[in-house]
Amino acid sequence: MDRNSRASVQIPSSRTGGLSGVEPQAPDKRTIFCNDRKANLASPFMSNSISTTKYNIFTFLPKGLFEQFRRVANLYFLAISILAATPISPISPITNVVPLSLVLLISLIKEAFEDSKRLQNDKVINNRMIDVLQDQTWESIAWKNLQVGDIVKVKQDGFFPADLLFLASTNADGVCYIETANLDGETNLKIRKALEKTWDYLTPEKASEFQGEIQCEQPNNSLYTFTGNLIIQAQTLPLSPNQILLRGCSLKNTGYIVGIVIFTGHETKVMMNSMNVPSKRSTLERKLDKLILALFATLFGICLIGAIGSGIFVNNKYFYLRLDVGGEGSAQFNPSNRFLVIVLTLFTLITLYSPLIPISLYVSIEMIKFIQSTQFINKDLCMYHKDTDTPALARTSNLNEELGQVEYIFSDKTGTLTRNLMEFFKCSIGEQVYGTGVTEIERQIAERNGMKVEENKSDTAVQERGFNFDDDRLMQGSWRNEPNPNICKEFFRCLAICHTVLPEGDESPQKITYQAASPDEAALVIAAKNFGFFFYRRTPTTIYVRESHVEKKGKVQDVPYEILNVLEFNSTRKRQSVICRYPDGKLVLYCKGADTVIYERLANGADDIKKLTREYLEQFGAAGLRTLCLAYKELRNHVYESWNEKFIQAKSSLSDRDKKLDEVAELIETDLILIGSTAIEDKLQEGVPACIETLQRAGIKIWVLTGDKIETAINIAYACNLISNEMKKFIISSETDAIREVEERGDPVEIMHFIREQVKKELKSFLEEAQSYLRSLNGQKLALVIDGKSLMHALDPSLRVMLLNLGLNCHAVVCCRVSPLQKAQVTRLVKKGARKITLSIGDGANDVSMIQAAHVGIGISGMEGMQAVMASDFAIAQFRFLADLLLVHGRWSYLRICKVITYFFYKNLTFTLTQFWFTFQTGFSGQRFYDDWFQSLYNVIFTALPVIALGLFDKDVSASLSRKYPGLYMEGIRNVFFKWSVVATWAILSVCQSLILFYFVILSSSGAKNSAGKTFGHWDVSTMAYTCVIVTVNLRLLMTCNSVTRWHLIGVGGSILAWFIFVFIYSVVRLENVYFVIYVLMSTIYFYLTLLLVPIAALLGDFIFQGIQRWFFPYDYQIIQEIHRHEPDTGNRQQLLEVGSHLTPSEARSYAMSQLPREVSKHTGFAFDSPGYESFFASQFGVYAPQKAWDVARRASRFRAPKTGRKK
């Protein structure tokens, strides 16, 4: 059969005689037969259909219920419900089944809703259409029907349906441009180049002739690596990531491409990376688990008391109760077997007291946190960045309250504290330094030293995005007059050639734009353009540079440089090299990278330029500039050819390809000639110094972890107020003269041992000095600065404890020259070693491990893509928004969740104890006090709404006051509101209230009669007591609130009203127990007197306790409330004015609503004024002034006196 006449999907493999001849896949590699579906059927390749849902129609109920019953509270109530169905239970199973069912129903509905959205999204993606080669024509099929080995055609702006091997494109030289925003958030275009052998397979007729075999790695989640070979026409061609088009990316600036499917569905790299961010639980939630265990212990304790009481109570002297008569349940009260009585009564009471465990607590907290995240954090206009149109984003709602307890912040520098808008600012070429500008850091250094710096711009100064250089010695061809014009020429060529930048737009200096992997690289290419070496075009093999003034001043010529090899930058190599061929055939290697790695690879000699360049680098670092060294080397043809063979072998390797490529690169990157250095300025973000100062006043310690030189990092730390002149600084550096002497001897073992001993010695010395400073009276603040080499040794298990203790004693820590791994290690050291709540914030892929290691991870949506954001728990656009996120939203969330938990504990304990006291009146028999439905609906209906309002709208002080007094945040760090002492206080008040509620109602009803002259019965008394409980616990919530809004009133009033509506209806339809009870009660004066007086009596003790606490032992926020009690909250609205005119229509509506009059706090003072504010403000300024109750009372009248003069 003629090859061209066959359908492409039926082409048999050239390597097999049929399916039986196909060899099984090796476990470490994948073999794909191109354009041959039959041959590929023998391999278990996945389909291209994807599913991101958690459930399907068969697994939803069992898997959903399993997820719910993993919670201890739900499992407990399931056991109680089962127990309630037994004869020993005094209550109907409905009492526990109803609340459990409601909780499960709400949770399952939420899960189903979220999963249905995933399902709809999956359907849309799976049913997208793609052109596939069939019968020498392009046929459109759904993405889900694609198979490995298919040849597909993707048009411009289309998305790649699977991971493809790039064969051909409509662009010249087999290149295409792709956007990877869906993978890493980067919008800059990236170039991909097909193998030259496959460029012709562009038309369907030609593509149908393609036969080949791909041998590659098995599917993995590494986005930036690929190892494989294409075997075609008896040739083995190495494949690299440059030939791979990943699913989720889109095609740009290219008519269409042709590719072969290599990975499908869930085996594509993007799907293998789509796992969730590691699940984090807040510290408060873990403490809540302990409280639940304490409630279990309490439950078991009161049940055991009741059970023992029952075993003592049953006695033959109560013969008239006929306890020993046989019948159903008689064994439970048989005096002849008291042990059995105790055991059975224990289970009876467990079912009776089951409401003590708050089944709706977790659901309520989840709901509160979800609304806090979506409605408060995400829509806060104070954290909206108008320049980039970026709001804050809570990617999880699990950690809201954790934001209110952070004690240590670990921050990246570039793009986090700085803008990541790089500008070429200064440079050194040969032995000369160029650039007369003054950086922000230099100005601040001069100000600290009492000097004034003036900056004069020259006429030749050029300023454009990425270039802010001023020195007429290099501009407009003046470099030809310098003493080193040849070195200048090599310097400019290195900038113009050694990069991976893509030019876009018109090939003119004014209109061209550059797509670069990093802002640094773009700034260097822009600098070359301004110096007269204009890079304007790139093909897969050639770079075109328009060079000015090279042969003579004013002459312009276009020079093509053939790019033979690119040795790419990575975090291990810390350098990038390009080998190019000049038009005259000369071979040159250009290299740029960190000074530490470049200096190690320089040729011997030229010591003057090395020494001077090192001095210039230190000057640049002291000015806060980012530095790189530039070097070059001329190559001989035979040396290059020999090396290139090794390079091709390493590139073709299927195992450890990256490692082998690095080893081969080391062979050629030697004996380099130093050209000079570059210095790039990255300015601080707006508001960073003020934000850091505010966070430090809040008791938060900030550690900056950066890859910059130690001088740069120190000066940035000064500029952003992290370090001040008043601080004592401990510097641990590997750049000392003693260490350099050892390094010059070249023995790696000796170097490692010497540095380790030096680090150990300095750690020990500094730790002793720090402890002596802390014991002294002056209380000087301390700062630690340590570089990467020293940190590597300091993180050794034998030294890390000293490092941790020293770091914890310091007010600020700066770690320089650190790797991404070291960032994560330092974060984990404090998180686990000090057991403090940590927060990491960064903007790049190198910050992901640090972000995931901390309790809370914050991503900055900046210039380095969205990798950090996608790995984070919260995302903000600017570092300064961190103050609002922590001091306002974090503190409010912590305070609200603490109150919700303690209030839940209080109301459930109060309700259960009234039933417990009734047990003493019934001979410990387990008789129920309340009707089954009363008990069932207590948590889920009659007390549910107010606690939601408490968790959402309670506010101790306004957002503006939270910013004004950052010291308020320390209450969260100290966990003031969720200590065992707080829980114990609530428990004592609950016990007292339950006693009053039960015995006052019992006593008031003992002689009461209804309108028919009959005394009140059991159900009359229990209904009255239940009504008093509902009213009391709801009113107690209002006393808990710091501010009362309409939502609080609606919640409390609605809950009490819901109880009365329910009991009115239920008393009619229930033909036993409580039939018509409420109508009988409301016909008597006793009911109204009891309903009025009993809640007042129950709450009186709480009221007195709160008054004493507020008067003599006020919290910090209560002091602020008293100071500002008569001031309306207008601070937020003033700040919103600046963003009000930059909003979308929907945001404008939200903004307009925020301007409406608000409820003003009505319960900030509780009629008590606390004059004891001196200690709070003393603490704000670092002075220890303990507050004494007698001192507060003595000044009370003096504080209150000015109020009499207030205007009416």
Side-chain angles (χ1 to χ4, degrees):
M1 184 184 294
D2 182 65
R3 182 174 61 189
N4 293 334
S5 65
R6 290 175 301 191
S8 62
V9 293
Q10 297 175 335
I11 299 175
S13 170
S14 59
R15 294 150 298 283
T16 65
L19 291 180
S20 59
V22 178
E23 295 182 0
Q25 297 282 313
D28 58 342
K29 71 175 184 178
R30 159 177 293 213
T31 301
I32 300 166
F33 304 117
C34 305
N35 211 10
D36 193 342
R37 280 196 171 185
K38 280 188 178 179
N40 288 322
L41 285 176
S43 303
F45 298 136
M46 274 195 154
S47 76
N48 202 42
S49 177
I50 59 117
S51 173
T52 59
T53 59
K54 288 175 65 176
Y55 312 101
N56 59 41
I57 194 169
F58 301 108
T59 63
F60 175 70
L61 207 55
K63 190 174 179 181
L65 289 174
F66 173 75
E67 290 290 329
Q68 295 306 314
F69 286 121
R70 289 173 66 182
R71 289 179 170 169
V72 177
N74 289 348
L75 194 62
Y76 162 78
F77 267 87
L78 177 64
I80 293 297
S81 299
I82 296 170
L83 200 60
T86 64
I88 63 171
S89 173
I91 57 175
S92 168
I94 202 75
T95 303
N96 294 293
V97 170
V98 167
L100 177 62
S101 301
L102 282 173
V103 168
L104 294 178
L105 182 63
I106 292 170
S107 299
L108 289 175
I109 289 174
K110 171 177 167 285
E111 290 286 321
F113 175 71
E114 291 178 350
D115 222 39
S116 66
K117 290 195 291 186
R118 298 188 195 104
L119 179 63
Q120 292 301 319
N121 188 51
D122 291 345
K123 284 183 177 179
V124 170
I125 292 173
N126 287 331
N127 289 306
R128 282 180 179 171
M129 304 305 288
I130 186 68
D131 290 340
V132 177
L133 186 65
Q134 292 184 358
D135 297 324
Q136 297 188 12
T137 60
W138 299 116
E139 298 287 342
S140 289
I141 67 171
W143 279 22
K144 62 184 179 184
N145 296 325
L146 271 183
Q147 294 184 18
V148 172
D150 285 351
I151 296 180
V152 299
K153 170 186 173 184
V154 181
K155 299 174 184 175
Q156 180 166 322
D157 297 324
F159 289 91
F160 302 124
D163 289 352
L164 309 177
L165 170 63
F166 179 27
L167 294 181
S169 87
T170 54
N171 286 347
D173 300 326
V175 300
C176 72
Y177 300 94
I178 66 171
E179 185 180 84
T180 61
N182 285 345
L183 256 61
D184 52 23
E186 295 182 8
T187 55
N188 53 297
L189 299 185
K190 298 178 178 62
I191 193 169
R192 293 291 181 266
K193 178 189 174 186
L195 296 172
E196 189 173 352
K197 199 80 175 174
T198 65
W199 287 358
D200 295 334
Y201 297 103
L202 191 61
T203 63
E205 295 78 17
K206 188 69 176 175
S208 63
E209 299 175 4
F210 184 80
Q211 293 187 53
E213 181 180 312
I214 300 170
Q215 293 181 349
C216 64
E217 63 192 11
Q218 291 288 3
N220 59 68
N221 63 356
S222 177
L223 293 173
Y224 307 107
T225 62
F226 179 81
T227 307
N229 292 321
L230 173 64
I231 302 172
I232 179 175
Q233 297 174 4
Q235 281 186 286
T236 299
L237 306 175
L239 301 174
S240 73
N242 279 332
Q243 287 85 48
I244 304 303
L245 307 174
L246 299 183
R247 178 182 177 127
C249 299
S250 57
L251 185 67
K252 300 292 182 183
N253 298 355
T254 308
Y256 69 86
I257 63 97
V258 174
I260 294 178
V261 177
I262 53 176
F263 299 133
T264 50
H266 287 276
E267 291 184 339
T268 57
K269 290 182 181 288
V270 67
M271 291 304 296
M272 297 188 80
N273 274 277
S274 64
M275 61 186 71
N276 294 328
V277 176
S279 179
K280 297 179 181 178
R281 294 183 70 208
S282 72
T283 307
L284 202 66
E285 194 174 337
R286 287 192 290 270
K287 290 178 179 175
L288 174 58
D289 291 343
K290 295 179 181 177
L291 178 59
I292 295 295
L293 291 175
L295 284 176
F296 276 122
T298 303
L299 174 66
F300 184 78
I302 63 175
C303 291
L304 189 61
I305 291 171
I308 294 172
S310 179
I312 295 171
F313 178 82
V314 290
N315 197 302
N316 287 325
K317 69 179 181 180
Y318 301 113
F319 61 90
Y320 50 86
L321 296 178
R322 306 181 70 183
L323 298 175
D324 55 350
V325 175
E328 185 180 355
S330 61
Q332 184 171 349
F333 304 107
N334 192 339
S336 60
N337 193 345
R338 292 178 185 270
F339 178 76
L340 183 60
V341 170
I342 291 173
V343 171
L344 294 177
T345 304
L346 182 67
F347 285 108
T348 298
L349 295 178
I350 286 175
T351 62
L352 187 62
Y353 301 152
S354 59
L356 180 62
I357 308 300
I359 186 173
S360 56
L361 173 60
Y362 286 103
V363 174
S364 299
I365 289 177
E366 278 186 9
M367 189 184 303
I368 289 167
K369 287 183 178 181
F370 177 76
I371 297 173
Q372 284 175 350
S373 299
T374 57
Q375 299 302 312
F376 298 160
I377 294 177
N378 292 0
K379 295 187 177 181
D380 185 354
L381 294 178
C382 291
M383 295 194 292
Y384 169 75
H385 192 229
K386 62 183 179 183
D387 295 342
T388 57
D389 189 28
T390 308
L393 175 65
R395 291 173 49 81
T396 178
S397 60
N398 294 338
L399 304 172
N400 295 357
E401 70 277 14
E402 199 88 323
L403 292 171
Q405 296 181 275
V406 172
E407 189 167 355
Y408 284 87
I409 291 177
F410 299 90
S411 175
D412 176 41
K413 181 188 78 69
T414 305
T416 304
L417 300 177
T418 61
R419 300 178 186 180
N420 207 14
L421 294 174
M422 308 301 179
E423 292 182 334
F424 189 94
F425 201 77
K426 292 184 179 182
C427 64
S428 71
I429 304 175
E431 298 180 4
Q432 301 294 317
V433 64
Y434 299 94
T436 60
V438 180
T439 66
E440 289 181 345
I441 307 299
E442 287 176 311
R443 288 193 189 93
Q444 293 194 16
I445 292 173
E447 288 175 8
R448 288 200 303 272
N449 296 327
M451 299 167 59
K452 188 175 181 180
V453 177
E454 292 185 3
E455 184 179 4
N456 297 315
K457 291 276 186 182
S458 67
D459 296 334
T460 58
V462 177
Q463 187 165 2
E464 68 170 283
R465 187 182 178 92
F467 189 75
N468 185 17
F469 180 83
D470 182 17
D471 196 327
D472 52 14
R473 290 178 295 170
L474 293 184
M475 305 304 295
Q476 299 175 0
S478 298
W479 55 269
R480 291 181 56 83
N481 302 323
E482 288 299 289
N484 50 2
N486 288 329
I487 300 182
C488 289
K489 186 166 56 179
E490 294 300 334
F491 181 89
F492 300 145
R493 279 178 177 157
C494 185
L495 296 182
I497 296 171
C498 186
H499 58 78
T500 57
V501 174
L502 296 176
E504 277 190 335
D506 293 343
E507 294 179 355
S508 66
Q510 294 77 23
K511 296 182 179 180
I512 199 165
T513 58
Y514 293 117
Q515 295 282 351
S518 70
D520 302 70
E521 200 166 42
L524 295 175
V525 175
I526 292 169
K529 178 185 75 173
N530 284 282
F531 290 134
F533 286 69
F534 172 38
F535 160 61
Y536 64 91
R537 188 188 306 162
R538 175 191 286 277
T539 70
T541 57
T542 309
I543 275 181
Y544 294 86
V545 180
R546 189 166 296 154
E547 298 182 350
S548 305
H549 321 295
V550 173
E551 295 184 3
K552 67 177 183 178
K553 191 168 183 179
K555 183 177 181 181
V556 179
Q557 56 186 357
D558 290 349
V559 183
Y561 293 95
E562 184 183 0
I563 304 301
L564 302 176
N565 305 90
V566 177
L567 309 178
E568 296 183 357
F569 174 90
N570 60 45
S571 59
T572 304
R573 283 170 42 79
K574 295 183 180 179
R575 64 190 182 278
Q576 179 188 45
S577 297
V578 167
I579 300 175
C580 66
R581 191 192 305 274
Y582 280 41
D584 61 4
K586 183 172 71 171
L587 293 176
V588 178
L589 178 147
Y590 287 108
C591 182
K592 66 182 181 187
D595 57 310
T596 51
V597 295
I598 297 295
Y599 266 72
E600 291 172 357
R601 290 159 178 79
L602 295 179
N604 294 326
D607 293 334
D608 290 342
I609 186 174
K610 292 178 186 178
K611 182 180 178 181
L612 282 170
T613 302
R614 193 182 288 277
E615 290 177 3
Y616 296 145
L617 288 169
E618 290 177 359
Q619 292 174 17
F620 296 154
L625 299 172
R626 297 163 60 86
T627 59
L628 284 177
C629 282
L630 274 57
Y632 80 108
K633 171 185 179 181
E634 291 190 17
L635 302 173
R636 295 181 179 178
N637 276 313
H638 70 277
V639 173
Y640 170 73
E641 295 298 337
S642 172
W643 173 85
N644 196 41
E645 288 179 8
K646 298 174 184 176
F647 182 77
I648 292 171
Q649 286 180 354
K651 205 171 180 181
S652 304
S653 173
L654 283 177
S655 61
D656 297 326
R657 178 180 291 182
D658 292 337
K659 181 181 177 183
K660 291 176 181 176
L661 285 172
D662 287 351
E663 290 171 353
V664 171
E666 290 281 356
L667 301 176
I668 198 78
E669 292 172 327
T670 57
D671 297 326
L672 302 177
I673 300 171
L674 184 62
I675 306 173
S677 64
T678 63
I680 291 176
E681 183 180 25
D682 185 13
K683 294 181 179 178
L684 285 176
Q685 287 183 17
E686 179 187 347
V688 166
C691 177
I692 287 180
E693 183 182 1
T694 300
L695 293 174
Q696 288 180 330
R697 287 171 57 203
I700 299 172
K701 297 180 179 66
I702 300 173
W703 294 29
V704 172
L705 313 176
T706 176
D708 283 332
K709 292 170 64 66
I710 196 165
E711 297 86 359
T712 307
I714 289 174
N715 284 292
I716 290 289
Y718 269 113
C720 62
N721 289 343
L722 183 66
I723 296 178
S724 65
N725 283 335
E726 291 74 30
M727 289 185 182
K728 169 67 179 176
K729 288 172 282 296
F730 301 128
I731 299 177
I732 303 176
S733 172
S734 59
E735 298 292 322
T736 63
D737 292 336
I739 292 176
R740 283 200 184 109
E741 286 180 14
V742 176
E743 286 178 335
E744 286 173 1
R745 292 201 285 269
D747 184 350
V749 176
E750 183 188 4
I751 293 170
M752 293 285 285
H753 179 73
F754 186 80
I755 295 177
R756 186 180 185 282
E757 289 303 313
Q758 286 292 105
V759 169
K760 181 179 180 180
K761 179 181 175 182
E762 290 181 330
L763 279 175
K764 187 176 181 180
S765 170
F766 289 156
L767 182 57
E768 291 173 355
E769 192 175 349
Q771 289 171 344
S772 66
Y773 270 102
L774 292 173
R775 286 193 294 266
S776 65
L777 295 175
N778 63 0
Q780 185 177 9
K781 292 180 178 178
L782 310 175
L784 170 66
V785 181
I786 184 170
D787 69 3
K789 278 186 183 178
S790 303
L791 184 63
M792 178 180 68
H793 296 284
L795 288 170
D796 185 86
S798 61
L799 299 181
R800 66 175 59 171
V801 175
M802 272 197 289
L803 173 66
L804 178 62
N805 289 333
L806 179 58
L808 295 181
N809 286 327
C810 291
H811 192 69
V813 176
V814 178
C815 301
C816 321
R817 298 282 190 174
V818 292
S819 66
L821 177 61
Q822 286 177 318
K823 290 182 178 183
Q825 288 174 331
V826 171
T827 305
R828 277 193 287 266
L829 177 67
V830 176
K831 177 182 176 182
K832 295 182 178 178
R835 297 189 179 277
K836 305 291 186 181
I837 295 179
T838 57
L839 179 149
S840 289
I841 179 168
D843 73 316
N846 61 332
D847 302 316
V848 168
S849 55
M850 173 180 75
I851 285 171
Q852 293 183 341
H855 289 95
V856 182
I858 308 288
I860 298 277
S861 47
M863 305 290 289
E864 293 190 21
M866 300 289 284
Q867 300 100 315
V869 168
M870 290 188 286
S872 67
D873 306 303
F874 299 88
I876 53 179
Q878 296 277 288
F879 183 87
R880 68 178 186 270
F881 296 153
L882 192 60
D884 269 351
L885 188 64
L886 298 185
L887 305 188
V888 179
H889 293 284
R891 205 180 65 80
W892 280 350
S893 295
Y894 165 72
L895 190 62
R896 289 164 176 168
I897 295 299
C898 287
K899 286 193 173 184
V900 165
I901 293 171
T902 51
Y903 176 75
F904 252 102
F905 169 72
Y906 151 79
K907 72 183 181 70
N908 282 39
L909 185 60
T910 302
F911 177 70
T912 305
L913 285 177
T914 55
Q915 175 71 65
F916 179 63
W917 307 133
F918 181 68
T919 303
F920 287 86
Q921 309 296 318
T922 59
F924 306 97
S925 61
Q927 168 65 37
R928 56 185 171 154
F929 185 40
Y930 301 116
D931 181 82
D932 293 345
W933 281 100
F934 292 3
Q935 190 164 321
S936 299
L937 301 180
Y938 176 77
N939 267 316
V940 294
I941 301 292
F942 305 136
T943 59
L945 202 56
V947 80
I948 301 294
L950 173 68
L952 292 177
F953 302 109
D954 187 50
K955 185 166 60 174
D956 58 345
V957 296
S958 65
S960 57
L961 290 178
S962 295
R963 300 184 197 100
K964 185 176 181 180
Y965 302 105
L968 292 171
Y969 188 83
M970 294 184 191
E971 292 178 322
I973 294 176
R974 298 194 304 266
N975 195 25
V976 168
F977 302 112
F978 197 56
K979 294 180 176 179
W980 286 112
S981 58
V982 175
V983 174
T985 301
W986 277 91
I988 292 169
L989 294 173
S990 179
V991 171
C992 295
Q993 283 189 20
S994 64
L995 284 167
I996 292 171
L997 287 167
F998 179 76
Y999 284 105
F1000 276 36
V1001 171
I1002 292 291
L1003 292 173
S1004 66
S1005 305
S1006 59
K1009 295 182 177 61
N1010 60 26
S1011 57
K1014 296 180 179 179
T1015 57
F1016 284 169
H1018 170 201
W1019 300 112
D1020 299 304
V1021 176
S1022 71
T1023 303
M1024 188 180 294
Y1026 189 85
T1027 305
C1028 290
V1029 170
I1030 294 295
V1031 172
T1032 301
V1033 297
N1034 279 289
L1035 292 178
R1036 180 63 180 86
L1037 181 132
L1038 291 179
M1039 292 176 62
T1040 303
C1041 297
N1042 286 295
S1043 58
V1044 178
T1045 67
R1046 62 179 179 275
W1047 301 110
H1048 292 89
L1049 298 175
I1050 289 171
V1052 170
S1055 295
I1056 295 173
L1057 183 62
W1059 155 246
F1060 279 106
I1061 292 173
F1062 168 79
V1063 77
F1064 285 154
I1065 298 171
Y1066 184 66
S1067 294
V1068 174
V1069 298
R1070 178 78 165 178
L1071 300 179
E1072 57 183 12
N1073 297 346
V1074 295
Y1075 179 68
F1076 242 66
V1077 159
I1078 192 64
Y1079 298 98
V1080 172
L1081 286 174
M1082 294 185 71
S1083 66
T1084 69
I1085 190 65
Y1086 299 105
F1087 175 78
Y1088 299 101
L1089 288 174
T1090 303
L1091 192 58
L1092 175 66
L1093 298 176
V1094 170
I1096 291 175
L1099 294 173
L1100 182 61
D1102 289 53
F1103 189 77
I1104 293 171
F1105 171 79
Q1106 285 192 342
I1108 293 172
Q1109 177 269 315
R1110 191 179 187 91
W1111 182 272
F1112 295 107
F1113 312 102
Y1115 291 118
D1116 292 344
Y1117 77 84
Q1118 291 173 332
I1119 297 171
I1120 301 303
Q1121 285 177 346
E1122 294 299 337
I1123 295 170
H1124 298 276
R1125 62 183 303 191
H1126 302 297
E1127 296 177 13
D1129 179 13
T1130 58
N1132 281 354
R1133 297 176 207 175
Q1134 295 299 324
Q1135 294 193 14
L1136 293 177
L1137 292 177
E1138 66 181 42
V1139 296
S1141 58
H1142 300 274
L1143 307 177
T1144 64
S1146 61
E1147 289 169 338
R1149 284 194 296 273
S1150 298
Y1151 171 72
M1153 291 175 65
S1154 72
Q1155 303 301 294
L1156 296 175
R1158 302 181 182 180
E1159 292 280 348
V1160 180
S1161 172
K1162 297 182 178 66
H1163 286 76
T1164 56
F1166 289 106
F1168 293 98
D1169 290 319
S1170 173
Y1173 53 84
E1174 289 90 342
S1175 64
F1176 172 74
F1177 288 103
S1179 68
Q1180 292 286 287
F1181 293 98
V1183 180
Y1184 179 64
Q1187 186 170 285
K1188 299 180 176 63
W1190 61 268
D1191 193 40
V1192 175
R1194 180 172 58 82
R1195 294 191 299 266
S1197 59
R1198 189 171 48 183
F1199 177 77
R1200 293 177 58 89
K1203 292 176 62 177
T1204 58
R1206 285 181 63 238
K1207 293 181 180 180
K1208 299 290 183 185

